[in-house]
Amino acid sequence: MIYLLAFLCSGSVCLLSQIVFDNTKFTPGHITTFLVGIGAILSSLGIYEKIISICGGGATILITNFSHLLIKGMEEGMQKDGLLGIFTHSLTYTGGVLSFIIFISLIASLFCHSKH
């Protein structure tokens, strides 16, 4: 059942994003930015944790989870160090993900060549 919920969660976000992309003049960058904003809002309201508990991995692989982790780090930093902690702890949970993305991009650039 958890696999079905994970599929339905991530699939519905992808489906809605594709419908918006096909029927508007939004670019993929617009849609990605919108999803990051939605994830941040849901995380700030405490809703995203409930979505993760219901959907499991289906909610943690989406771009909305990236903003959820940013907000989570900021909230933790605010509790530890006050207002300055928002800036110093914002990448606590996402630093590993960003490092991995940069590493994979480097590896991909070695094998894929631009046509220009």
Side-chain angles (χ1 to χ4, degrees):
M1 186 65 176
I2 189 68
Y3 297 119
L4 179 63
L5 289 173
F7 173 75
L8 291 175
C9 177
S10 58
S12 62
V13 171
C14 293
L15 176 67
L16 290 173
S17 298
Q18 188 66 44
I19 289 170
V20 169
F21 180 70
D22 289 342
N23 295 312
T24 64
K25 293 184 178 184
F26 290 153
T27 65
H30 289 113
I31 295 170
T32 302
T33 304
F34 180 72
L35 290 173
V36 168
I38 291 293
I41 291 169
L42 292 175
S43 181
S44 297
L45 297 174
I47 298 171
Y48 205 82
E49 286 288 336
K50 293 175 185 171
I51 293 172
I52 291 174
S53 68
I54 294 170
C55 298
T60 60
I61 60 169
L62 300 170
I63 190 70
T64 52
N65 190 54
F66 180 75
S67 57
H68 165 67
L69 293 175
L70 281 173
I71 296 295
K72 190 174 176 180
M74 289 178 180
E75 287 174 347
E76 183 179 293
M78 181 75 168
Q79 291 173 355
K80 285 184 179 178
D81 300 329
L83 190 59
L84 185 61
I86 292 174
F87 303 105
T88 59
H89 289 81
S90 63
L91 297 178
T92 301
Y93 295 104
T94 58
V97 174
L98 293 174
S99 298
F100 178 73
I101 290 170
I102 292 169
F103 176 73
I104 292 299
S105 298
L106 174 68
I107 298 299
S109 71
L110 297 174
F111 296 105
C112 302
H113 300 287
S114 174
K115 294 181 182 181
H116 300 296

